[in-house]
Amino acid sequence: MIDYLSQHWFVILLTLVYIFFCLYIGWYFKKKASSGVREYYIAKREIPGWVISLAFFSTSASTNTYIGQAGKAFQYGLSWAWVGLIWAVFCILAWLVLGPRMRNQSAILNSFTVPDYFQLRYKSDLSKAIRMLSAATILFATMFYMIGIAKGCAHVLEAVLDIPYAWGAFLILFITCAYTMWGGMYSVLWTDAVQGIIMFVVAIIMVSLPFIYVGGVEELMTTLATTDHVTKGGESMGNGLVSFGHLVSFMYILGIGLSIGMKQISDPKSLIRFYSIDNAKSMKFAMIWTPIFLGISLICVMGLGALVHGMASQEEAAHLIQNTDEVVGFMLQKMDNQLISGICVAGLFAAGMSSLASVILIVGTAFVKDIWDAWKPQSEQVIIKQTKMTMALYCALVFVVTLFPPAGIVELTAFAGAVYAASFFPAIFGGLYLRWGTDIAALSSMVVGMLGTVIWRFGFRLRIESLKDIHEIIPAFLLSCLVYLIVSRMTKHRIPDSEHLDRLFSV
Amino acid sequence: MFQLPLVRRPTAALYVCDFMQINEITYSLSVLLVCMDFMTSLPYWGILVLVVINAIIVSRMDITVEDDNE
């Protein structure tokens, strides 16, 4: 025990300081958040732009980015950064196309969640069903996402602090759950902002490690171009790490890039950020700075795994290529520096916690406000209490499944992203921009999007070799958009009354 | 012969560059990009170009935000 502490004291100290800080923020906002549903769910729409900007960035980039995506570059080379480019494009689109409109319409409708936006926007006898279906979709897709994040953090703790996988997963899930339960959206956004700053700094530190280890840019790049490491299939990599399309097909990059990038235009944990922003100046700030924070971090992180080849022997590379989620942990182990490991573990924890906190709150609000309360209305204090209870129970369920994770981090989170994008985007975009969008179209596109994602993945992609690189996001998204447009045109009599639409589209 | 007072500016700029090791950083970045083929390096500099264009577009936009409907 003494040996262990003397070896890891600095990492443990930094991690503990960071954890106590997050818990303190949750505790600090406890009273304010619990005063009403508006406070607990959307922080009373009074959060400044710089906090929202950093919170959006830290929520979008998670353990999936810092561990999963960074590790994938070990297998696919530096061209994996194309995923980052697609991601940055959708971040910009999310803020340009959805941000101001979502903020304005949600304020006009007095909407607190994305599912209740659907009900209030489409305003019909069917809109409650749309709300409940979208809440159920959130509960389904979030499970995969949370497992991916908990798995990534548990791997880092295992590699850096020798904490058993199960304990690592338990710690990340329940510490995050605790401060989210206490402070609701206030603690989620303020901790996210601080986590965003840490993540930004850690991204820059992490990308510099392989260069420092090998001894310079030229040395490392020469090593990568002439590596004798082998691919997952056992063939020599040659100069594949620095050449486009040698180790991975562009279709695969496009599929993963779209499914992760498009989450920003459809995932409730990202969209809900727009709800809490306080004024136009803040909106403008966030629209400019969020892509900058995210873009620079992605430049640093997306090719990181490929650079780690310069630090690994042939045997180590052969192991890592089969287990890409362990690449970042391996890099920190190899550097063997307490200070760097401590800062990076705090950053990786921050990446995981910021995304986990947001989805934990979304799960609680979806189940309680959009299913339970929509079915049987309750008082505000009961809603808050039930939301807290739901969050704790869902985390317990995620913990059990994380012990037997069904796939790698990237695939898990990309699948969740595909479900959101295909199910929600047409109804959101149509709701915000198309006066002639109807409730039946929204419902149909959601059903088609969800079924399309699941059927393509399990019925075609995983069974037919020639289709394995065509990610479910592509056919499912196109199909659901098409269904929304066609059904809206076919059901013109279901368009909400013009007084309601005039009020919505007046801004 | 008349001497332009601006002569001091490049000297100062070179001093700043030297102090911040900008030459080394620029050299390292160029090595980094040259070692990859064009399509592999595109996303790295492409992201930077995109965020700059976005910043210019947004700074020229007129944005309004509705008051909360309590």
Side-chain angles (χ1 to χ4, degrees), chain A residues 38 45 78-79 81-82 89 92 103-104 107-108 110 217-218 221 242-244 280 284 287 291 295 299 303 507, chain B residues 27-28 32 35-37 39-40 42-44 47-48 50-51 54-55 58-59 61 63-66 68-70:
Chain A
R38 197 160 150 268
R45 297 187 213 276
L78 288 165
S79 4
W82 272 92
V89 168
I92 290 170
R103 168 64 178 78
N104 288 333
I108 292 169
N110 208 15
V217 175
E218 228 167 335
M221 295 311 286
V242 292
S243 308
F244 181 73
K284 208 164 192 171
M287 288 169 81
I299 289 172
V507 189
Chain B
Y27 174 72
S28 299
L32 202 65
C35 287
M36 305 176 217
D37 59 22
M39 288 297 280
T40 308
L42 193 149
Y44 295 94
I47 289 175
L48 289 178
L50 270 178
V51 297
N54 174 64
V58 174
S59 61
M61 278 171 78
I63 294 161
T64 49
V65 165
E66 272 288 286
D68 198 5
N69 182 21
E70 280 190 62

Side-chain angles (χ1 to χ4, degrees), chain A residues 59-77:
Chain A
T59 304
S60 304
S62 62
T63 331
N64 166 46
T65 324
Y66 281 65
I67 299 173
Q69 299 286 357
K72 273 285 176 197
F74 192 88
Q75 186 181 345
Y76 297 138

Side-chain angles (χ1 to χ4, degrees), chain A residues 395-408:
Chain A
C395 283
L397 181 65
V398 170
F399 171 66
V400 173
V401 186
T402 307
L403 297 178
F404 314 97

Side-chain angles (χ1 to χ4, degrees), chain A residues 170-185:
Chain A
F170 179 85
L171 287 174
I172 184 88
L173 279 168
F174 287 96
I175 290 168
T176 314
C177 186
Y179 73 74
T180 308
M181 278 170 69
W182 287 332
M185 186 56 95

Side-chain angles (χ1 to χ4, degrees), chain A residues 121-185:
Chain A
R121 159 64 179 87
Y122 289 103
K123 205 186 168 196
S124 73
D125 49 347
L126 201 66
S127 53
K128 195 188 265 189
I130 303 173
R131 179 180 182 176
M132 288 186 169
L133 178 71
S134 55
T137 309
I138 289 171
L139 294 176
F140 168 72
T142 301
M143 175 69 75
F144 297 97
Y145 185 76
M146 285 178 71
I147 295 165
I149 294 172
K151 187 186 172 203
C153 285
H155 277 311
V156 173
L157 284 177
E158 199 173 23
V160 179
L161 288 176
D162 296 325
I163 293 176
Y165 174 82
W167 274 104
F170 179 85
L171 287 174
I172 184 88
L173 279 168
F174 287 96
I175 290 168
T176 314
C177 186
Y179 73 74
T180 308
M181 278 170 69
W182 287 332
M185 186 56 95

Side-chain angles (χ1 to χ4, degrees), chain B residues 3-65:
Chain B
Q3 198 172 14
L4 283 168
L6 283 174
V7 160
R8 289 178 64 191
R9 282 194 186 166
T11 321
L14 282 174
Y15 175 75
V16 171
C17 281
D18 193 41
F19 178 72
M20 293 175 71
Q21 295 188 311
I22 285 179
N23 286 341
E24 281 82 354
I25 293 172
T26 315
Y27 174 72
S28 299
L29 285 176
S30 58
V31 169
L32 202 65
L33 294 178
V34 166
C35 287
M36 305 176 217
D37 59 22
F38 175 76
M39 288 297 280
T40 308
S41 68
L42 193 149
Y44 295 94
W45 54 263
I47 289 175
L48 289 178
V49 172
L50 270 178
V51 297
V52 170
I53 293 171
N54 174 64
I56 295 168
I57 292 171
V58 174
S59 61
R60 291 178 179 192
M61 278 171 78
D62 186 24
I63 294 161
T64 49
V65 165

